[in-house]
Structures are given as C-alpha cells and as structure tokens.
Amino acid sequence: MAETVFFNRDLSWLGFNERVLLEASKDTVPILERIKFLSIYSSNLDEFYRVRMPVLMAVDEHVQDIDSTGNYALAKAEINRQQEQFGAIIASQILPQLAKQDIHWIYNKPIPSQITDQVVNLFFNEVLAYIYSVCIDKDLTDFFAENNKLYQLVILKDTVGAERLELINIPSESLQRLYALDHDGHKYVVFLEDIIKYNLSYLFPNDTIMGVFNIKITRDAELKIDNGLEGDITTVLERQLETRDFGFATRFLIEPGIPLRNLYRLIYSLKLGRASIVEGGRYHNLKDLNSFPLNGEEFSYPKWPSLSSILISEKDTLFNLILKQDLLVNVPYQSYDSILRFFNEAANDVYVEEIYTTLYRVANNSRIVSALMTAARNGKKVTALVELKARFDEANNIKWAKQMKAAGVKIVYSSIDLKVHAKVALAKRVISGHEEFIGLMATGNLNESTARFYTDQILLTSHQPMLKELEALFGFLRKSKKAPSLEDQIDFKHLLVAQFNLQHRFIGLIQREIDNAKEGIANGITIKLNNLEEKILIAKLYEASQAGVKIQLIVRGICCLIPGQVGLSENITVTRIVDRYLEHGRIFIFENGGYKEIFMGSADWMNRNIYSRIEVCFPLYDPKLREIIMKIVNLQLQENAQESIYKFLKDTNTI
C-alpha cells in the first residue's frame, strides 16, 4: 500500500493542538476558558518539543526512516504558523474582550503609570528575594540553563562602553506568574517578567541597559532505559529522573530582536548548538495562563455538578449491587465516588482474600492507593502492578510503590520494553470454599484527580467467566518479565488483550463487517479513540470502506488515517471533539448484522499500544448499559456533544 495513504503522525499531533487553539478563538466560549485553552496549547507544544522533536531531529540527522524524512522541517513550519495564530488570538480577541470588562492585561506594552508604584513595591517586597543574575562572557560558563525555566537576557554597557550579557532567572516556580493589580476600580494583570524588567535599573545601577529579552530552553525528556540495566528498577529510574531536566536542548525559544552577535554568544556559552532556534513572542511558558487571575462565574463555563449514577441503600453494599447487575460510571459527568467505594469495600470486605490492580498514573493524594495499603494491613493479599515508565508520572509512581511495599502490598513492575497500560482491578472473595470475583475495568487511569476532567467509562461487573480471564492475566503479569511466549498463551474468549489476541480479534471483527457488507447484511463500524496510527488496522479499515462498510471514527488526537478519499476511504468519516473535558474513552462498536458488539478499554490503535503494551478491552453485555453507550456515542458525533451528554445522563435514571 502506498505511503501516501497515511497522514503524517507528527503533523496530526500538531493538528490536534491547533484544534485546542481554535477553541480559544471562539466567542461562544467564556473568556477565562479561552485563556485556559491557550494554556493547554502551550503545555502541549512544550511536550511535543520534549518528546517528539528529539526523535525528528535524530531522524533528520541520520535519515534512517524514510517515512519520517523531512518531518522536522515540516513540524517547525507548522509550529511557526500556529504560533502566529496564537499571538493573533490574544491581540485581536482576548485583549479587547478583557478590556470591555475593564480588565487590562499588560501584554506586549509598557506598564502604565497608574500602577508603577505597586509594581515597584511588588518587586522589592516579594520578587527580589528569588532572583539572581549570571554573567555570560565570551568563554564557557559553568551555568546550566534549566529545562523549561524562564530567563531574561539583559544586554548592558558599562561606563567605558564595554558590553556584557547577564542572565536573570524568572522565578515563576516560586512566585505567581501573573499579578492582578487594582487602581481606582480598574483591574490590571501584569507578568512577573515585566515586573522584573521595570526594576532592572536597581540591579545594574552603574550600567546602561541596551536591551532586555525573554528566553526559554526546552530539553529532551526521554529516559534512556534499556534491557541491559543493572539493579533495582526504581533505583535506576530515580537516577534517570534526576538527570531528565539535564538532557540536550531541543528548543531555544527567544524573544525577537536579539542582536545576532549576542545571540551567538549566548548559544556558545550555554551549549545550545543542537537546539532549534525559535523566535516566539515576548512571553514564554504560557501554560501558566491556567492560573490567570480572573474571578467570577460569568468568566467560566456554567458548573456541571457530578451526577449520582449508583444509589446504594444504607443497609446494602456496592459489592452486593454489582453481584446483581453490571454497573457503568461515565466520568466526569457522573461521580467517581463509587469507584473509590469499590476499593474501600474490597479492603474491608470480610470475604475478600485477594486484590489485584494495575496502576499507571496515580493521583498525588491517591485514596485508591490508601485503600490498597489498608487492605494489606487488614491481612489481605494485595498485588499492584505499578507502571514506573508512565511518562512524567515516574516519580509519583515510585513514591507510591515504596509506600505500598512498606505497607505489605506486593509490588510488580513491568519489564523495560513492555508497559502495562491496562486499567483493571479484581477482588477475589471466598465464601464457604467457593470463589467469587468482582471486577473493575476502565478506559482511563484509576485516578480520582484526572477523573474530574477526563471523559472515561468504568465498568463494575461480576461476570465470572470474564473475570476468570482477568485473573489469568494477572497471573501472567505477576510472574512475567517480558512479552508472552507460546507457553504463556491464555484462551481469552471475552477479553481483548494486547500481546495476546487484541489486534487479531479487531481484524476479525472488521473482517466480519466486510463479509456482511458483501452479503447485504447490516454492517457498520463506529470507533472512538484518542489516537489512530497503527497501519495494519488502518489498512483493514480502508479495506472495509472499499467493501462498502460505513465507518464513523471519533479521534481526539493523532489520526494517520485519511478519510473521504475516493476508492480508498470514501465511506469513512472522522469527528474531532475538543470541549471543556478531555475526551479519553475508547469505544468500539461493530454492527454485526444488527446484533451489535460493543467493546471498551485502554487501547488506542497506536504502534506502542499494539506492540509494546499490555492493554485490556472488554465487552459490554448488559442491554441497558449498551443503550447508554450508544446514546453517548451518537451524541459525540454531533455538535455540543458534552453538554448534550451531561443533560442525557442527568435525565437517565440512576441505578
């Protein structure tokens, strides 16, 4: 199949980020939410530079993968275009709308005289204790510019005309980034770096300030871990984390206007020769806009209180309810309390003897982990499969793993080259010698913090055949240090598990729709994913489209499939959703001649999910729950999806 039938992975990632940026341009979105979308865009772009740019730079240097040749230049061009769009949204839309509310954001302009007294007081009373300066001369300096930290380059001339460069840190990690100041009832918002810039003459009283420019350096974030490592994995990872922010620079972000001689001098002194030099605006690290100092309900989305989805009488338990019927929680629309209660009951139920769970991204103050430690202290056998390689969550997961181990929880780590990304938990009860399982399977992390703004589905079930398969999977994970061999194979009839049967089963499900289309039997495929990249599965969807199967895709982020191409994908549509919540659930619906099969789970269709992770997708059997998921997915294919879903679930009777 020709390579042109697959859209570029990195440009698709950047395309999703542009969708985030477009939300900031919508007049229908409240002003504070628009500013937060700008923050999300900036944060996403930082991650792209930390994670993907090192790869593209390496490919550009060595050209080992012909599919990626030139992607570095294409990505840079797209980023530059989006950055111009970012600045235009602030200048032409955000600032005027704030001004109408008598809120004056001092952006790319001098501090007005009305508030200079307050700015000086702030500098001396709050800021001065946290800043330092470093002289950059023509020789190498020992100073190391930290990852994603803000600095000001100050160009000075002394009394005899000699020029020198000074770097000043912008202590945004210690102080707030934006300050709200009031004068005669008018509100002003000022950047920390502008407060420092206004007071520079105090720091350099005997010099002439020739120029002041904001800069930032982004460094490679990938951990260099291989199968040859020696020692305990937590110790190795902790050493790696200590050096993560000291990787090579991938981006040197500068405010325009730095004289070339000074720029080259800075690049040489800070060892930034490999970095991509990017001219941005005056302000960097605009992910800090997520704490923009603007109060008032009229500036934000109307509140959607979490809905109760499961009603339990005071004399009953959640476990008893699960034993009677499957339950489904749709977060963040519905309360996460029942998920916390699942672990709390498992920790204290007199019949529960064993608990198994996977942990990929754990909340900073995880009540789930606290329940697991309580269970171990209560004498239950608790096994937690902790993924230490969850990017940017490694340190938090290590912290919790140590605490759980100290409490008596058996900790199992995945192998270096095989992540455990599945979101599952299992409680094993023994009543009069009879084993009984109660399980939890989800599309998202077991994390009560992200459950407030990630849309996910969580199934609570006592389907014994399916949960016995889950027990078998935990048995494999508990003892294995690598991908399954032939002797490790498990006969999964209900679950779809990456490394075992997931890709093969999905191909078979698509093929059945192809066969039904050829026979004139009802057919169709609807799939919701975060990312779609893996070429074998994309090729199978193309084959289904060519056979006449109608395919509806909801893809939040990366999408390498090209829809609507005559003779290839004219029967495929792709919907993208960017709204107040982050779409995160994975749902797979196959028409199956009118007898729909519905699966949900942790697996995107990316190379990493299919080939180097343990993922679990699970069937949805309960007719009532199937109707709810079908309604949600149908709403997601329409405009104003999240508001409509909230209203639908609010009107749906609780269990």
Side-chain angles (χ1 to χ4, degrees):
M1 182 173 289
E3 293 294 322
T4 53
V5 302
F6 300 108
F7 193 70
N8 180 279
R9 176 192 193 277
D10 296 295
L11 293 183
S12 185
W13 181 341
L14 293 172
F16 161 68
N17 210 23
E18 184 176 25
R19 283 282 294 109
V20 174
L21 188 57
L22 290 175
E23 287 297 302
S25 69
K26 291 182 177 179
D27 291 336
T28 54
V29 176
I31 185 64
L32 185 57
E33 305 298 341
R34 295 172 69 178
I35 294 172
K36 287 180 180 178
F37 277 117
L38 293 174
S39 165
I40 294 168
Y41 170 86
S42 182
S43 179
N44 289 348
L45 187 57
D46 278 346
E47 181 177 352
F48 186 86
Y49 264 99
R50 295 194 74 190
V51 173
R52 286 303 301 170
M53 272 305 199
V55 176
L56 298 183
M57 291 168 72
V59 170
D60 193 54
E61 290 177 3
H62 303 292
V63 194
Q64 294 178 348
D65 182 358
I66 192 67
D67 183 47
S68 298
T69 304
N71 287 355
Y72 175 67
L74 291 172
K76 277 189 66 176
E78 177 61 17
I79 290 169
N80 290 339
R81 185 187 68 80
Q82 290 182 13
Q83 290 288 75
E84 291 181 6
Q85 191 176 3
F86 185 100
I89 290 171
I90 291 180
S92 64
Q93 298 182 49
I94 303 297
L95 294 177
Q97 187 170 342
L98 286 172
K100 289 179 181 178
Q101 309 283 341
D102 200 15
I103 300 166
H104 306 280
W105 184 10
I106 310 306
Y107 191 96
N108 279 341
K109 56 186 178 182
I111 293 175
S113 59
Q114 296 94 315
I115 59 170
T116 53
D117 286 349
Q118 296 182 64
V119 166
V120 171
N121 286 332
L122 271 173
F123 176 76
F124 281 98
N125 296 338
E126 295 188 28
V127 179
L128 191 54
Y130 295 94
I131 63 175
Y132 58 85
S133 64
V134 176
C135 182
I136 303 295
D137 57 27
K138 293 181 180 179
D139 299 321
L140 289 177
T141 176
D142 292 332
F143 175 74
F144 185 88
E146 295 183 59
N147 175 60
N148 274 345
K149 298 294 177 64
L150 299 174
Y151 297 94
Q152 272 184 352
L153 171 66
V154 185
I155 305 172
L156 300 166
K157 276 192 178 179
D158 63 19
T159 54
V160 297
E163 184 180 79
R164 79 175 189 278
L165 304 181
E166 295 274 350
L167 269 190
I168 294 180
N169 71 309
I170 307 297
S172 56
E173 69 282 357
S174 302
L175 301 171
Q176 62 194 75
R177 179 74 185 285
L178 292 151
Y179 286 81
L181 306 176
D182 287 291
H183 178 77
D184 289 342
H186 305 290
K187 187 169 185 177
Y188 299 85
V189 178
V190 185
F191 279 101
L192 173 60
E193 51 265 49
D194 284 341
I195 293 172
I196 295 172
K197 181 178 179 180
Y198 186 82
N199 290 278
L200 283 176
S201 60
Y202 170 78
L203 297 176
F204 307 107
N206 300 318
D207 300 295
T208 302
I209 299 172
M210 306 301 296
V212 182
F213 303 93
N214 296 321
I215 66 170
K216 184 181 86 165
I217 294 162
T218 303
R219 298 186 179 277
D220 179 13
E222 285 297 287
L223 300 179
K224 309 301 186 287
I225 304 170
D226 56 50
N227 287 318
L229 63 80
E230 296 181 0
D232 179 69
I233 187 172
T234 58
T235 303
V236 174
L237 273 171
E238 284 178 313
R239 291 193 196 120
Q240 289 283 330
L241 288 170
E242 289 173 359
T243 62
R244 164 175 271 171
D245 285 337
F246 297 90
F248 78 87
T250 59
R251 176 178 59 167
F252 182 28
L253 186 58
I254 62 173
E255 181 179 344
I258 302 177
L260 284 178
R261 68 180 184 280
N262 300 130
L263 179 61
Y264 291 145
R265 190 167 154 192
L266 195 59
I267 291 170
Y268 175 71
S269 295
L270 299 183
K271 303 177 181 67
L272 303 177
R274 295 179 63 187
S276 174
I277 311 301
V278 179
E279 274 199 355
R282 176 181 295 179
Y283 306 103
H284 315 313
N285 260 17
L286 289 178
K287 61 185 179 183
D288 292 339
L289 294 180
N290 65 355
S291 57
F292 194 87
L294 185 59
N295 298 317
E297 293 184 0
E298 70 274 21
F299 300 129
S300 301
Y301 285 126
K303 293 188 181 302
W304 291 349
S306 292
L307 304 169
S308 296
S309 58
I310 301 172
L311 295 181
I312 308 170
S313 68
E314 62 178 277
K315 295 182 179 180
D316 206 351
T317 67
L318 175 64
F319 274 18
N320 284 342
L321 199 54
I322 297 172
L323 289 168
K324 296 173 185 174
Q325 63 184 117
D326 285 356
L327 307 175
L328 183 68
V329 180
N330 299 280
V331 295
Y333 308 103
Q334 295 173 320
S335 172
Y336 201 71
D337 287 350
S338 54
I339 308 307
L340 299 176
R341 181 164 178 166
F342 173 92
F343 287 95
N344 291 339
E345 288 195 14
N348 292 280
D349 187 301
V350 294
Y351 298 114
V352 170
E353 294 190 355
E354 299 179 29
I355 302 171
Y356 299 90
T357 190
T358 58
L359 296 171
Y360 190 76
R361 297 191 191 278
V362 183
N364 289 333
N365 297 298
S366 176
R367 285 176 284 172
I368 291 174
V369 172
S370 295
L372 295 174
M373 292 190 290
T374 295
R377 294 184 181 112
N378 285 341
K380 302 182 189 303
K381 181 180 177 182
V382 183
T383 302
L385 291 114
V386 181
E387 181 49 72
L388 295 185
K389 303 181 297 298
R391 183 184 290 142
F392 302 131
D393 279 87
E394 300 95 342
N396 189 53
N397 287 1
I398 288 173
K399 176 197 77 172
W400 280 119
K402 289 180 175 180
Q403 290 187 28
M404 284 189 288
K405 190 173 183 179
V409 176
K410 178 178 174 56
I411 302 297
V412 179
Y413 304 120
S414 64
S415 65
I416 295 303
D417 56 354
L418 185 66
K419 284 187 178 182
V420 177
H421 190 249
K423 326 295 187 181
V424 290
L426 183 67
K428 179 179 179 180
R429 307 171 94 204
V430 178
I431 304 174
S432 301
H434 173 70
E435 291 183 355
E436 178 180 78
F437 296 99
I438 298 176
L440 178 157
M441 290 177 276
T443 65
N445 295 305
L446 302 179
N447 185 316
E448 57 266 41
S449 297
T450 56
R452 294 197 299 267
F453 52 91
Y454 281 30
T455 70
D456 275 304
Q457 281 73 39
I458 306 150
L459 177 68
L460 304 171
T461 183
S462 60
H463 189 286
Q464 296 304 300
M466 184 160 53
L467 295 180
K468 286 181 180 178
E469 293 181 5
L470 188 58
E471 182 193 32
L473 176 62
F474 275 117
F476 163 77
L477 294 174
R478 192 170 61 241
K479 66 181 181 181
S480 179
K481 293 294 182 183
K482 57 185 178 180
S485 62
L486 288 176
E487 62 188 35
D488 294 315
Q489 292 303 308
I490 300 170
D491 184 20
F492 290 111
K493 298 186 185 309
H494 300 276
L495 299 179
L496 281 59
V497 182
Q499 309 311 310
F500 289 90
N501 68 337
L502 183 141
Q503 185 185 47
H504 176 74
R505 284 288 306 277
F506 275 132
I507 289 174
L509 290 165
I510 298 171
Q511 182 61 49
R512 186 179 62 193
E513 301 305 313
I514 293 172
D515 295 340
N516 286 346
K518 291 177 179 178
E519 295 293 328
I521 300 172
N523 61 87
I525 299 171
T526 302
I527 296 174
K528 181 189 176 192
L529 295 162
N530 295 330
N531 301 294
L532 175 58
E533 174 200 30
E534 202 277 327
K535 291 183 177 180
I536 292 175
L537 289 165
I538 291 176
K540 197 66 182 178
L541 291 175
Y542 283 151
E543 182 184 345
S545 173
Q546 292 165 6
V549 179
K550 296 295 182 183
I551 301 170
Q552 300 178 101
L553 302 177
I554 303 171
V555 185
R556 186 195 77 207
I558 296 168
C559 183
C560 295
L561 178 149
I562 305 176
Q565 300 294 300
V566 177
L568 178 71
S569 58
E570 64 264 43
N571 289 311
I572 304 177
T573 61
V574 177
T575 299
R576 319 297 284 269
I577 302 173
V578 178
D579 208 326
R580 69 162 71 187
Y581 298 140
L582 180 74
E583 292 293 335
H584 192 254
R586 293 90 165 183
I587 301 172
F588 310 86
I589 303 171
F590 301 91
E591 185 62 31
N592 187 30
Y595 300 93
K596 290 182 175 65
E597 281 199 73
I598 300 176
F599 295 87
M600 302 185 296
S602 63
D604 284 319
W605 284 4
M606 298 189 73
N607 294 330
R608 66 191 187 195
N609 303 95
I610 302 301
Y611 301 115
S612 59
R613 291 184 174 184
I614 294 291
E615 306 276 4
V616 172
C617 290
F618 48 91
L620 194 60
Y621 291 136
D622 184 273
K624 182 178 179 180
L625 301 184
R626 288 160 59 87
E627 288 181 12
I628 290 173
I629 286 298
M630 286 301 304
K631 178 65 174 179
I632 288 174
V633 170
N634 287 333
L635 289 172
Q636 287 172 334
L637 292 167
Q638 303 170 20
E639 291 295 323
N640 300 317
Q642 293 186 350
E643 183 177 1
S644 299
I645 291 169
Y646 182 78
K647 290 179 179 177
F648 161 66
L649 291 173
K650 188 176 182 180
D651 293 337
T652 301
N653 291 331
T654 54
I655 297 170

